[in-house]
Amino acid sequence: QSERHWDVDFWELQGAPETWPAQLDGWYLRNPVFALLSGLSEGNWAPVDQFCSRQHVPCWFPSVALANVTEPGYGLYFNQGVALEARVLAKHLESAAGKGTKRVLQVFEKDSAGEQAAKVFRTELKATGIAVQERALGSTDQAALRTALNDVRSGDAVLLWLGSSQTRALQALKLPPGAQAFVSSSLLNAVARATLPTELGNKLQLVYPYELPQQRNANLAYLHSWLKLRGIDLVDEEMQSELFFSLNLMTDTLQDMLDNVYRDYLVERTEDNIGKREAAKAEQETRDRHILGAAGRMAVRNQMEQADTRVSQAGDAATAQRLAFGVGDSAGTTVYPNLSLAPGQHFASRGAYILGLDALRPGAHNEMPEWIAP
């Protein structure tokens, strides 16, 4: 709704994090940008957030495992990543559900986001009297993990702050009866989680900051239809959903701003309106389904007994669209149960579930777990 045309640059950081500020400043000096739109990182994001605060550039909903936020800052994030998950786990183990825990063993890779998560957890659990021990892995193979876990006993809780590169080691995980293990959904992506053996079942618990599978099918139906129509493969539902949301939110917000294209105004409008915008989008998608979705609802009913009705599993774009109109009501448009901000807030989602692996298997029907917001 204006005559502006937007150009998109791609910045890829190289080398050690200590060198990133100079790289960012060099790119910005050569070609100043209005905002850093999305972004990916499995480790240290602090230099990027500090750059955004220094230059007053919005850091717009990146997909990061650990959001190190500068105060006052220009960063807007989905959640706090592994730092949030560490606080959720601490609260869980302090509750009635964790009363039988005698000892906590934290396992992480050196110099990683997992090590930062372990530090947050240790601080949060300090007042409980539960003993906390730690093992820093120098290697990511199965032997190193077995050695780290060789003294685990019944009643222990094992916190595995390990990423997707450690999937093979986790596949061989053995626990004694009465011990339980927890893994991070921020570090272990959906592809890696799907490879974990079914026999781990509920022995391996996920700290899960996303919407439950039953509701996700409706919330992400539009995204999956969009991907099918454009021939884009579904690689990582959580990451692709975050990216799709961040781009759409930027588009919608800029359209509302018209020619008032100011960075602080962008942040202010988003803080004020993200919750209302999510509710309105979900309501509109649900209304469209009810008005246009007779064929879709029939397609779902016809397939209920014989095939997967998830839109993501549709074989082609036409089937995806039919299924999308039959999956029910949306409560949101992302992988998160709800998103909201307020002035000065950086994180739009502030809680997580504790789920067994079985709860994520196709067709699983489980009792509603507690949403833990520390």
Side-chain angles (χ1 to χ4, degrees):
Q1 298 180 23
S2 76
E3 294 184 358
R4 292 180 181 271
H5 297 276
W6 291 92
D7 293 323
V8 179
D9 291 341
F10 180 70
W11 294 0
E12 184 173 4
L13 294 163
Q14 306 284 347
E18 304 84 63
T19 69
W20 294 357
Q23 293 179 51
L24 291 163
D25 286 339
W27 278 319
Y28 188 72
L29 185 63
R30 289 189 293 274
N31 189 16
V33 295
F34 177 70
L36 294 192
L37 179 55
S38 190
L40 288 172
S41 171
E42 292 184 352
N44 190 353
W45 190 255
V48 183
D49 187 87
Q50 291 162 9
F51 162 81
C52 289
S53 293
R54 189 168 65 251
Q55 300 290 359
H56 294 192
V57 172
C59 185
W60 188 264
F61 293 100
S63 297
V64 294
L66 178 63
N68 311 85
V69 168
T70 308
E71 296 285 356
Y74 278 74
L76 298 175
Y77 296 91
F78 289 103
N79 63 24
Q80 220 174 347
V82 290
L84 168 67
E85 294 180 359
R87 294 187 175 96
V88 167
L89 265 176
K91 189 169 182 178
H92 173 73
L93 293 177
E94 290 171 0
S95 70
K99 284 301 181 189
T101 303
K102 299 174 182 176
R103 181 183 66 146
V104 173
L105 174 64
Q106 299 200 90
V107 180
F108 52 84
E109 193 176 357
K110 292 178 182 177
D111 301 320
S112 67
E115 185 171 5
Q116 294 300 311
K119 181 179 179 181
V120 173
F121 177 85
R122 187 169 62 245
T123 302
E124 292 287 317
L125 207 66
K126 191 170 7 180
T128 65
I130 299 175
V132 179
Q133 296 182 5
E134 295 178 352
R135 306 277 192 277
L137 297 181
S139 170
T140 61
D141 60 17
Q142 296 177 7
L145 184 58
R146 280 198 301 271
T147 300
L149 302 180
N150 61 9
D151 64 340
V152 173
R153 304 180 296 271
S154 178
D156 287 353
V158 181
L159 277 54
L160 297 165
W161 300 110
L162 303 177
S164 300
S165 62
Q166 288 94 6
T167 304
R168 287 179 62 83
L170 287 172
Q171 288 171 347
L173 181 67
K174 303 291 184 185
L175 292 172
Q180 56 182 334
F182 300 87
V183 293
S184 160
S185 295
S186 295
L187 294 174
L188 200 66
N189 65 29
V191 177
R193 294 195 300 265
T195 67
L196 296 177
T198 55
E199 55 265 27
L200 286 176
N202 286 322
K203 289 183 179 179
L204 189 62
Q205 304 283 309
L206 292 168
V207 192
Y208 196 73
Y210 308 115
E211 181 59 274
L212 298 173
Q214 305 92 294
Q215 183 60 50
R216 257 165 82 156
N217 193 31
N219 289 2
L220 300 184
Y222 186 86
L223 164 65
H224 290 303
S225 297
W226 187 91
L227 291 172
K228 291 287 183 185
L229 282 166
R230 286 155 182 80
I232 299 172
D233 291 335
L234 179 67
V235 178
D236 184 328
E237 184 179 65
E238 289 146 13
M239 181 271 288
Q240 286 172 281
S241 168
E242 289 179 342
L243 179 59
F244 188 69
F245 172 84
S246 68
L247 292 166
N248 274 302
L249 179 63
M250 177 65 80
T251 299
D252 292 347
T253 308
L254 288 172
Q255 286 177 343
D256 289 343
M257 291 166 61
L258 299 176
D259 281 328
N260 303 305
V261 186
Y262 303 101
R263 293 163 172 169
D264 289 79
Y265 184 42
L266 174 74
V267 173
E268 180 184 312
R269 282 194 65 86
T270 305
E271 290 173 341
D272 289 343
N273 294 322
I274 187 172
K276 301 171 194 171
R277 184 251 187 203
E278 265 290 89
K281 283 279 228 185
E283 184 179 350
Q284 182 61 54
E285 288 185 13
T286 298
R287 189 181 301 119
D288 289 345
R289 290 194 190 109
H290 285 293
I291 295 172
L292 303 172
R297 289 190 290 275
M298 182 64 72
V300 170
R301 280 197 296 272
N302 291 341
Q303 295 181 44
M304 280 295 263
E305 300 301 323
Q306 57 212 292
D308 197 329
T309 59
R310 289 175 295 169
V311 184
S312 59
Q313 299 302 309
D316 54 66
T319 304
Q321 286 183 302
R322 283 199 303 275
L323 290 175
F325 282 120
V327 294
D329 296 352
S330 295
T333 66
T334 71
V335 291
Y336 295 96
N338 50 66
L339 296 177
S340 63
L341 288 169
Q345 288 187 359
H346 299 278
F347 307 111
S349 183
R350 294 175 285 279
Y353 298 107
I354 304 291
L355 297 176
L357 267 183
D358 287 345
L360 299 183
R361 307 293 184 198
H365 296 285
N366 303 280
E367 292 183 9
M368 186 71 175
E370 179 188 4
W371 176 255
I372 302 173

